[in-house]
Amino acid sequence: MNMKRILDLWKDQQSTLNGWISLNNAFGAEVMAYAGFDTLTIDMQHGVSDYSSLIPMLQAIKPIPTFVRVPWLEESSIMKSLDAGVNGIICPMINSKKDAQRLVKSCYYPPYGERSFGPIRAKFLYKQNYFEVAKEETFVFAMIETKEAFENLEEILSVEGIDGVYIGPADLSCSLGVTPKFDQEDEVVFQAIKLILQKTKKYQKFCGIHNGSAAYAKKMEKLGFNFLTLGSDAIFMLEGAKKIIQDFHCN
Amino acid sequence: MNMKRILDLWKDQQSTLNGWISLNNAFGAEVMAYAGFDTLTIDMQHGVSDYSSLIPMLQAIKPIPTFVRVPWLEESSIMKSLDAGVNGIICPMINSKKDAQRLVKSCYYPPYGERSFGPIRAKFLYKQNYFEVAKEETFVFAMIETKEAFENLEEILSVEGIDGVYIGPADLSCSLGVTPKFDQEDEVVFQAIKLILQKTKKYQKFCGIHNGSAAYAKKMEKLGFNFLTLGSDAIFMLEGAKKIIQDFHCN
Amino acid sequence: MNMKRILDLWKDQQSTLNGWISLNNAFGAEVMAYAGFDTLTIDMQHGVSDYSSLIPMLQAIKPIPTFVRVPWLEESSIMKSLDAGVNGIICPMINSKKDAQRLVKSCYYPPYGERSFGPIRAKFLYKQNYFEVAKEETFVFAMIETKEAFENLEEILSVEGIDGVYIGPADLSCSLGVTPKFDQEDEVVFQAIKLILQKTKKYQKFCGIHNGSAAYAKKMEKLGFNFLTLGSDAIFMLEGAKKIIQDFHCN
Amino acid sequence: MNMKRILDLWKDQQSTLNGWISLNNAFGAEVMAYAGFDTLTIDMQHGVSDYSSLIPMLQAIKPIPTFVRVPWLEESSIMKSLDAGVNGIICPMINSKKDAQRLVKSCYYPPYGERSFGPIRAKFLYKQNYFEVAKEETFVFAMIETKEAFENLEEILSVEGIDGVYIGPADLSCSLGVTPKFDQEDEVVFQAIKLILQKTKKYQKFCGIHNGSAAYAKKMEKLGFNFLTLGSDAIFMLEGAKKIIQDFHCN
Amino acid sequence: MNMKRILDLWKDQQSTLNGWISLNNAFGAEVMAYAGFDTLTIDMQHGVSDYSSLIPMLQAIKPIPTFVRVPWLEESSIMKSLDAGVNGIICPMINSKKDAQRLVKSCYYPPYGERSFGPIRAKFLYKQNYFEVAKEETFVFAMIETKEAFENLEEILSVEGIDGVYIGPADLSCSLGVTPKFDQEDEVVFQAIKLILQKTKKYQKFCGIHNGSAAYAKKMEKLGFNFLTLGSDAIFMLEGAKKIIQDFHCN
Amino acid sequence: MNMKRILDLWKDQQSTLNGWISLNNAFGAEVMAYAGFDTLTIDMQHGVSDYSSLIPMLQAIKPIPTFVRVPWLEESSIMKSLDAGVNGIICPMINSKKDAQRLVKSCYYPPYGERSFGPIRAKFLYKQNYFEVAKEETFVFAMIETKEAFENLEEILSVEGIDGVYIGPADLSCSLGVTPKFDQEDEVVFQAIKLILQKTKKYQKFCGIHNGSAAYAKKMEKLGFNFLTLGSDAIFMLEGAKKIIQDFHCN
């Protein structure tokens, strides 16, 4: 499934499944690529990766469409990730219109933004002239994960070039005074999640969320989320190991 | 649990659980170290590791007792793994008395063998003079995994310094003309496994085996195996990812 | 000695010895861990490390309490270092109240700050719920090393969440117009050092300094410094090599 | 040829040839060092390198004078590159006097700037006291590559400590509404290039430009450019491979 | 073009072009993959790669069919390369029937050989059961590059499982007393090359050779060689750099 | 000082000082290169290095003459180290004439040996045709460190191409039944050391030894040793750290 097909599904109100890569290991990433996710995301924020492991991981994953969660709203991280050929950026802590505009400026070439030209790996991955197609081939997710972002949501959504929002349930919980966790059932956070989704739809943009379980992801799909992250490589490894030990002792 | 405790359990006819590390990633190894295994083994034969990733992985795992499966009966691999401070060596393809003697020679200092002295990391891990204690602190598993080894088993077991045997069920299957798999139920292979165990016990040595499931490991424990490997990091990751996707679709 | 014990000693007006790691090498870091320091600091500013070497070095050093000197007052460096499980941050060039507030915001979760939640390695290192204990388990040193910082010192010290100050004698010298060096005896710089210590004590916070020799460190201890860095791994290596060559020629 | 000799040539209105390194590979960098360039530049912006590969590459290249193009106007990247011992910095996107001043502040020690002192590798490369000579041993290129920079050029050039400008023809093209390419012949861009050169000369500073071909570089030399970049390692590899395949098929 | 297609061309007496990778760099390898070669070979003998760089390079290159030249006739190198998923092995210094038999034993599972089972990455790359297809999916080239090998050629060719021979013209020259070079025109060596080709064809096996130029490769194609290596990544880079410098000076 | 100068000194019955590198770190190696040793040796046997760290370390050290202690008498390790451009090989455990002959065969091109031609980095380091000069530019030390080697010493020394012997005092001690240490004063070992030196001189070859202190090295120089290793990088680091801590507590 290529990125165009993903977008078509989303436009058709369908959802896709995203795998989350926290380890900085190219072979581990390739293992994740064989699991059956529609897209994969390399987490450079809370995952163990930095730029030195990014390109080998992207090479391992190809040709699955790939996102990077950059560590922060930093021009250099966004630029180097896009040059490396990712299909999209998930940027943490977009809390205001100004943040959203800086993100957009970093992601697109003139005249839409101020990204510097030098697509060292990206230029190999696109058949046509990369400069011409870069705008439409780059998907930009703003993370909505603070009270401030929640309050500024419509202003953020109105920034052209922001293609969707991605909810970080743990940070959103913290910011709303609730203990952070995935698959949040706390009413305050849950209402916020639903409201974010509703406003995002109003602006005809796409909405993603991190899920800890298949059941919660299913629930989110029914609400209308398009981009559903399921667990992470490190969690699968740890939980798998714990479970087989436990199964042994219960056998 | 330290290595001495592991050996005491084995001498007491009890079993311990071993985690298997195929990925060459220090953080992944540390995740495995938090799962609850009694020992961990870094697989330098069929796993993705080589010496360049070994020391960071051992550092990540400490203080859990650790084995290395070396890639082959090669002096340099054995020597460098022991210098790195592992508690024991699992050596593939020990098919004859001569192989077993070469393995022993590589693992122990004079007068027991011909290991070269220079325990660059090992010397930090042992309180007493490492040279004095190295013989008793080094555990040597010969892998019995071919028809030839099976036929020469008693000769191999009679070599002093071989502390145990580790069964590779996949290779043993191949060698006996059966399609390779873990948790082998094929009668020819299964009989061979039981016979290997029985002879190993006769020589008062310890016996380990690789298992794909908790249920099969339990069965092996009941037969009398001491050292039970359960799955591997890469398998936990892949199976966990596949399962959550499947659960999503079945939800 | 764990971090709690370190803090108890400091509260009791005692000092501890800190080793400084400039090389980006996990085995070198482990060698430093066997030398006998109370804490170790990985220098990501002027040392050769970046994030790609950080986690292997932390794994090598464990369980010794560890600080990171981040390269700059950057949210991403601070966040990733804390997620990696360090006990504290030493942040260079905190020159104003605004800098100190930004540092505090980056180091603590809401409601104390705006650190993003995702403690990939830190969550394994703390027995209790990491979110609950993160505030008290994170130690924040502001580096006072410019004339501007010196002038704004009380404002910086009054920021809640700044737990101590760390003096960079070389940069402080530069900024005061003196040729940079450790173990500074220049009167202008020395008076500044004493004044910084005195004001830090007034705010009941802790004070650290980098020392080139045991003698100078002893002098600093007598003045009342709590956190005494002694030399660095690269310096020990270079000076040891030079000395043995010189000893040979003088023999 | 050392850096002093390079500068003497430039002062004498002569040009030198610069090799451009996009790959993050120490042996590849050493191969480039044997090709015959006067200087080499490691591209940390659009190249594949980050800090983790920088020092090995600098070691491979020595003693050829070396520049780093930093990824962005970021204090940490500039500081760590200079500490690593490079002869100069090429900083992208210097668009205003304020940008130029921040760049200068990052590159020089007090009293000329606010660079933090700790030249971990640089101190080995200079015979004299590094602190004393750092100002004159550090060459600072501001990249002029946007319409905004073009408009603010004289203000940028008037900032003391900016030693030269480096033209990024691709970004300059984008910013002027022209499809990005090297060896630009578009009249709007070409006029801009000439005007930048002319104003730089007026301020008695040096001017460099990236070229895709020897012919264009020759043209730029005739215009008066001093610092001529020719192609890049990745391009040589790709074009060489394509050419030999084509030659085979045409043979 | 997949490996099956390559073999079909060879059976049809046609030739394919092979790129040679000497650098240990995943991005460099991917650049080579975009150049248009039919197959690529990672040189672990005289190239800069070892196992630690192999898997990232294979991931970068996929899905182009890939060979590894192992450093020596060593079980561990052959086994780990095959487990990594390469399509074939080029093994240096096969000088006798005994060498050829040891090579074959290392490359195939029982009952054809004694390769140990554990295809960590290979199992993902083949749709069918890897164990069943491994024999036919593994291509084995013996390098004929000494006088001794030349004398034992028919015995080597008669070993079942040797699928082809690959001529190392430099070593063959040395061994025949001629200064080593590619594109050898020396009569003694050239006659040897033709005789090797002729005997290989007699045994209905395939023949490859390393070429320094398109013209020589064309000549080899006309003689009947199937597998034509053209230059190498490092040579393209060095020659490209030298040529642009020379072109500049001649312009 | 280049290798030619080293050899001239040895021929003139003088000694040189060799630094020993156990860490796998390019910057650490460069620090050692600034200390003032005449030569440096990278220890791939008991040190932490393997091939993946070798080339960056050689690049860091250049232009100081460099030896590699290979992990074992293995063709691939010797070949790859020489291709990387080292000035000589120190090979452990040369116990017989047969071992010495295999070592010589691995180190030299035909007609002197059977080294395979492909000097990927070495070819850049020598001005003349590398093939022509390789024999005289390659220095081969056989390690004499077992009772067996001691008994076969004259046979080993009589092998043409063995340029010197290097004594491993720790292994020699083990083999002679004495607890291993450097700076051995035990009479049995000391007599053996003197006899090895005497016989080596008789064959007009050079003799080296590892020393833990300047005093012992001086003693060895007086006996007539040419190549004196002093300590190691890791020891300097550890001892320097321990000493400054101790000095602090004694101050």
Side-chain angles (χ1 to χ4, degrees), chain A residues 89-110:
Chain A
I89 295 291
I90 301 176
C91 185
M93 297 284 171
I94 300 301
N95 295 332
S96 64
K97 185 174 182 177
K98 203 174 144 197
D99 287 349
Q101 287 169 329
R102 186 174 167 201
L103 172 57
V104 162
K105 254 177 47 177
S106 301
C107 289
Y108 301 109
Y109 291 127

Side-chain angles (χ1 to χ4, degrees), chain B residues 22 44-50 52 71-72 74 93 145 170-171 174-175 178-180 234-235 238, chain E residues 50-52 55 74-76 79-80 83 109-110 114-120 123-124 129 131-132:
Chain B
S22 295
M44 294 177 74
Q45 184 187 23
H46 295 302
V48 180
S49 298
D50 69 354
S52 67
W72 205 252
E74 292 174 338
M93 295 285 170
E145 47 184 351
D171 276 321
C174 291
S175 186
V178 177
T179 299
I235 297 296
L238 182 62
Chain E
D50 70 354
Y51 181 75
S52 67
I55 286 192
E74 292 173 338
E75 284 77 4
S76 57
M79 174 184 61
K80 286 181 85 69
D83 284 356
Y109 292 127
E114 302 180 3
R115 178 180 168 196
S116 173
F117 189 77
I120 181 87
K123 72 176 172 229
F124 292 122
N129 184 326
F131 180 72
E132 307 299 334

Side-chain angles (χ1 to χ4, degrees), chain C residues 22 43-50 52 71-72 74 93 95 145 148 170-171 174-175 178-180 234-235 238, chain D residues 50-53 55 74-77 79-80 83 109-111 114-120 123-124 129 131-132:
Chain C
S22 294
D43 183 7
M44 295 178 72
Q45 184 187 22
H46 296 301
V48 180
S49 298
D50 70 352
S52 67
W72 204 252
E74 291 174 340
M93 296 286 170
N95 295 332
E145 48 184 350
E148 190 190 349
D171 275 322
C174 290
S175 186
V178 178
T179 298
I235 297 296
L238 180 62
Chain D
D50 69 354
Y51 181 76
S52 67
S53 47
I55 286 191
E74 292 173 338
E75 282 78 4
S76 56
S77 299
M79 175 183 62
K80 286 181 85 71
D83 284 356
Y109 292 127
E114 302 182 1
R115 179 180 169 197
S116 173
F117 190 77
I120 181 87
K123 73 176 171 229
F124 292 121
N129 184 324
F131 180 71
E132 307 299 335

Side-chain angles (χ1 to χ4, degrees), chain A residues 50-53 55 74-77 79-80 83 109-111 114-120 123-124 129 131-132, chain D residues 22 43-50 52 71-72 74 93 95 145 148 170-171 174-175 178-180 234-235 238:
Chain A
D50 70 353
Y51 182 75
S52 67
S53 47
I55 285 191
E74 292 174 338
E75 283 77 5
S76 58
S77 298
M79 175 184 62
K80 285 181 85 70
D83 283 356
Y109 291 127
E114 302 181 1
R115 178 180 168 196
S116 173
F117 190 77
I120 181 88
K123 73 177 172 229
F124 292 121
N129 184 324
F131 180 72
E132 308 298 335
Chain D
S22 295
D43 183 7
M44 295 178 73
Q45 183 187 24
H46 295 302
V48 180
S49 298
D50 69 354
S52 67
W72 204 251
E74 292 173 338
M93 296 285 170
N95 294 332
E145 48 184 350
E148 190 190 348
D171 275 322
C174 290
S175 186
V178 178
T179 299
I235 297 296
L238 181 63

Side-chain angles (χ1 to χ4, degrees), chain D residues 66-239:
Chain D
T66 310
F67 294 80
V68 161
R69 177 161 72 175
V70 293
W72 204 251
L73 177 50
E74 292 173 338
E75 282 78 4
S76 56
S77 299
I78 293 168
M79 175 183 62
K80 286 181 85 71
S81 299
L82 289 172
D83 284 356
V86 300
N87 299 84
I89 294 292
I90 301 176
C91 185
M93 296 285 170
I94 301 301
N95 294 332
S96 64
K97 185 173 182 177
K98 204 174 142 196
D99 286 350
Q101 287 169 328
R102 186 175 166 200
L103 172 57
V104 161
K105 253 177 48 174
S106 301
C107 289
Y108 301 109
Y109 292 127
Y112 314 101
E114 302 182 1
R115 179 180 169 197
S116 173
F117 190 77
I120 181 87
R121 183 169 178 265
K123 73 176 171 229
F124 292 121
L125 302 178
Y126 297 88
K127 298 275 179 271
Q128 308 140 274
N129 184 324
Y130 180 69
F131 180 71
E132 307 299 335
V133 301
K135 175 67 165 54
E136 70 189 68
E137 293 285 2
T138 303
F139 193 94
V140 180
F141 272 123
M143 288 194 74
I144 300 300
E145 48 184 350
T146 64
K147 209 177 152 190
E148 190 190 348
F150 185 64
E151 288 162 4
N152 296 327
L153 183 57
E154 299 223 20
E155 283 204 338
I156 292 169
L157 284 163
S158 65
V159 172
E160 208 201 308
I162 298 291
D163 298 311
V165 306
Y166 187 75
I167 296 179
D171 275 322
L172 185 60
S173 299
C174 290
S175 186
L176 296 172
V178 178
T179 299
K181 51 173 290 205
F182 291 147
D183 300 355
Q184 190 59 267
E185 300 287 358
D186 175 275
E187 198 54 29
V188 172
V189 183
F190 199 73
Q191 288 306 322
I193 289 173
K194 284 196 289 189
L195 205 56
I196 292 168
L197 174 67
Q198 183 189 317
K199 288 196 181 166
T200 305
K201 298 243 165 220
K202 176 177 148 194
Y203 283 80
Q204 293 180 296
K205 300 193 167 180
F206 303 110
C207 205
I209 189 166
H210 209 110
N211 304 280
S213 67
Y216 197 86
K218 202 72 200 176
K219 191 163 153 184
M220 292 299 108
E221 185 193 40
K222 282 175 186 155
L223 286 179
F225 278 88
N226 307 99
F227 178 73
L228 300 163
T229 300
L230 286 176
S232 79
D233 54 354
I235 297 296
F236 298 145
M237 187 194 290
L238 181 63
E239 294 306 320

